[in-house]
Amino acid sequence: MTVAQSLRDSKTSQGIAWMILTSFLFVGVTCVVRYLGTSMAATETAFLRYLLGTLMILPWVIRQLGEKLEAQTIKLYVIRGLIHGVGVMLWFFAMARIPIAEVTAIGYVSPIFVTIGAALFLGEKLHLRRIGGVLCALIGALIILRPGFQEIGLGQLAQLCAAPLFATSFIIAKKLTGTQSSTMIVGMLSIGCTITLLPGAILQWQTPTLVEILWLALTAALATAGHYTLTKAFQAAPITVTQPLGFLQLVWAALLGMLLFDEALDPFVFIGGAVVVGAATYISHREMQVARQLRTPPAMATKT
């Protein structure tokens, strides 16, 4: 079976493809934010990113606002906007202070929360191969971080606090995919985060330059596209299948950190990264095998 046939016939394969694309888009966001550095306050930077993202996707959201929203759905949108907004502020703070690969590695705590939360609240099954893949990925992240062997500063703490917030946001997004379109989910997240971050942005406001606005516009475009592809991945496959593939982002982050920002190549990053990518590759391969077996009926015994 060709890759094109697999993508056409298998929802699991489609989810995997969407998640790989998501990893490319989000690492692009990471690079732009890293480039901007500490020249702007984290809350203001995050606010402008989501404000610009809202303006980009608003025309498509307005088209769908005529559809009736249930009170429970509105509640989920509000909660997600608040939680994700705080998480983004912490992420922007960390991104300006520690290497890209380290931010990415600490972010791997989030999929652990996602996988557990999906099993507890969404009823998804935790097959042994999924549990093994997540545990291996966590071990890989710990190899990179080496707790107890290096100092943990405010940047690392901020990213550690952001991880469970993003996990909660992703679980809510997965819940919303049952009744809401990808465009609506992404658009409402942008609006919710913009409102959540507005008070802090006003308090720390410094008028950005035109160049900074253009860079943030690029960030908004990449991140909005990333959230769209992430939502498509959630719609196509179980969250416990798609999340481990987010670990591939570590490879892109480490390479771009070295090439663009002269960040040192820590061998532990690549050792841990090899563990992470190996776990992600294995779980993806096994899920595609299982999906293929489910599509192929067993051979019927012939009567003689």
Side-chain angles (χ1 to χ4, degrees):
M1 178 179 292
T2 66
V3 173
Q5 288 175 324
S6 180
L7 288 174
R8 184 178 64 250
D9 300 335
S10 170
K11 283 288 187 180
T12 300
S13 299
Q14 292 170 17
I16 289 170
W18 281 118
M19 199 63 187
I20 291 174
L21 178 57
T22 299
S23 73
F24 280 110
L25 292 169
F26 280 145
V27 82
V29 174
T30 300
C31 286
V32 176
V33 174
R34 179 65 174 169
Y35 174 76
L36 289 174
T38 57
S39 61
M40 297 176 64
T43 306
E44 180 185 354
T45 306
F47 166 75
L48 289 172
R49 169 261 175 272
Y50 273 99
L51 175 62
L52 292 169
T54 297
L55 295 177
M56 291 177 184
I57 201 170
L58 191 59
W60 288 271
V61 174
I62 292 175
R63 293 179 186 176
Q64 299 184 28
L65 282 178
E67 301 176 7
K68 184 178 180 181
L69 293 176
E70 296 182 357
Q72 180 63 22
T73 301
I74 296 174
K75 181 180 178 181
L76 288 175
Y77 277 134
V78 172
I79 293 173
R80 189 181 184 219
L82 289 170
I83 290 173
H84 202 95
V86 175
V88 166
M89 180 180 64
L90 292 170
W91 182 84
F92 270 77
F93 180 87
M95 196 59 248
R97 288 162 176 81
I98 57 179
I100 294 174
E102 193 168 352
V103 172
T104 305
I106 298 173
Y108 292 156
V109 178
S110 182
I112 306 303
F113 289 117
V114 170
T115 302
I116 296 172
L120 292 176
F121 302 109
L122 300 181
E124 294 190 1
K125 294 181 179 179
L126 277 176
H127 296 297
L128 184 60
R129 61 180 174 275
R130 295 179 181 177
I131 296 174
V134 169
L135 289 178
C136 287
L138 178 59
I139 291 171
L142 290 175
I143 291 173
I144 297 166
L145 288 175
R146 304 188 302 284
F149 295 93
Q150 63 175 352
E151 183 181 355
I152 297 180
L154 289 177
Q156 289 91 341
L157 289 175
Q159 181 67 345
L160 284 171
C161 291
L165 298 178
F166 285 139
T168 304
S169 173
F170 292 152
I171 291 171
I172 294 174
K174 177 62 176 178
K175 182 74 173 177
L176 287 167
T177 57
T179 59
Q180 301 293 295
S181 69
S182 300
T183 302
M184 195 68 175
I185 292 172
V186 175
M188 293 303 288
L189 176 65
S190 293
I191 294 171
C193 286
T194 301
I195 295 172
T196 299
L197 294 164
L198 176 60
I202 292 175
L203 291 174
Q204 298 182 319
W205 185 262
Q206 293 181 347
T207 303
T209 66
L210 177 60
V211 173
E212 288 173 334
I213 291 177
L214 291 175
W215 277 116
L216 286 172
L218 176 60
T219 302
L222 291 172
T224 301
H227 280 290
Y228 179 82
T229 57
L230 180 65
T231 305
K232 296 292 288 185
F234 287 166
Q235 289 176 327
I239 202 169
T240 44
V241 174
T242 55
Q243 273 302 303
L245 289 165
F247 293 137
L248 292 172
Q249 192 173 333
L250 170 64
V251 177
W252 326 140
L255 291 176
L256 289 174
M258 175 190 68
L259 296 173
L260 300 180
F261 305 105
D262 294 324
E263 294 177 354
L265 279 179
D266 188 336
F268 285 98
V269 169
F270 284 90
I271 294 172
V275 175
V276 165
V277 173
T281 302
Y282 169 75
I283 195 172
S284 300
H285 175 69
R286 286 292 299 136
E287 291 294 338
M288 291 179 74
Q289 279 188 327
V290 171
R292 190 178 299 116
Q293 290 170 1
L294 290 175
R295 290 196 309 272
T296 305
M300 298 294 291
T302 58
K303 294 182 179 181
T304 58

